[in-house]
Amino acid sequence: MNTQQILSFTRLTETAKLPVYGSDQAACFDLFSDIDVMLYPGHFAMVPTALVMHIAEGYQVKINPRSGLAAKHGVTVLNAPGTIDSDYTGEVKVILINHGERPFRINRGDRIAQGEIMPVYRVDLDSLGQRKGGFGSSGVK
């Protein structure tokens, strides 16, 4: 299967930027904001990318934080890593939170997160049986 069959995009606005790899060896592609927003300390926002991802069955996209935003400003992906399943058909939005001490401005076109295409491995959960004991019961006593 070639990469175009694994992942493609639909732009929902004229201003939506298609993802790009930052280098030839980058594992993740950059995702961009399609709005301007001020992110205040301790607050979070769902930042739209104005993109729909078309992901082949058997794959997912993980949404990862950008290390520069975290290191320099305390801004990260709240549910890191986020998961986009192959059957999700809506707009991709990134939940960003500001753990920093100052407000952080996100401008339309700013890099806000990274996407990583990953294979999906599923198991038959019914065949696994049920464990007893609850939370923490698999540890050494």
Side-chain angles (χ1 to χ4, degrees):
M1 183 177 289
N2 71 40
T3 55
Q4 288 182 340
Q5 292 172 321
I6 295 172
L7 180 63
S8 64
F9 302 92
T10 298
R11 292 172 36 174
L12 299 176
T13 67
E14 290 182 15
T15 56
K17 288 182 73 171
L18 291 173
V20 296
Y21 285 101
S23 73
D24 290 341
Q25 298 299 312
C28 298
F29 50 83
D30 291 325
L31 292 169
F32 301 90
S33 173
D34 195 52
I35 63 167
D36 299 331
V37 62
M38 183 65 75
L39 196 55
Y40 292 95
H43 291 229
F44 64 90
M46 290 184 62
V47 181
T49 65
L51 295 174
V52 173
M53 291 186 184
H54 308 284
I55 306 166
E57 187 175 336
Y59 292 89
Q60 63 179 313
V61 172
K62 291 291 186 190
I63 304 299
N64 299 310
R66 295 195 62 245
S67 58
L69 287 182
K72 295 174 187 172
H73 307 286
V75 174
T76 191
V77 176
L78 182 58
N79 62 325
T83 300
I84 302 175
D85 298 307
S86 63
D87 61 352
Y88 178 68
T89 59
E91 178 183 8
V92 173
K93 297 179 182 180
V94 178
I95 308 169
L96 294 178
I97 186 166
N98 184 352
H99 289 299
E101 296 176 1
R102 297 187 180 112
F104 182 75
R105 181 166 177 75
I106 299 165
N107 297 303
R108 176 181 281 125
D110 284 353
R111 295 179 295 168
I112 56 170
Q114 299 181 92
E116 180 180 13
I117 189 79
M118 304 281 297
V120 172
Y121 302 99
R122 292 181 56 97
V123 297
D124 180 3
L125 296 175
D126 292 333
S127 70
L128 298 178
Q130 192 156 359
R131 299 188 95 171
K132 295 183 181 181
F135 182 78
S137 64
S138 61
V140 178
K141 293 182 182 183

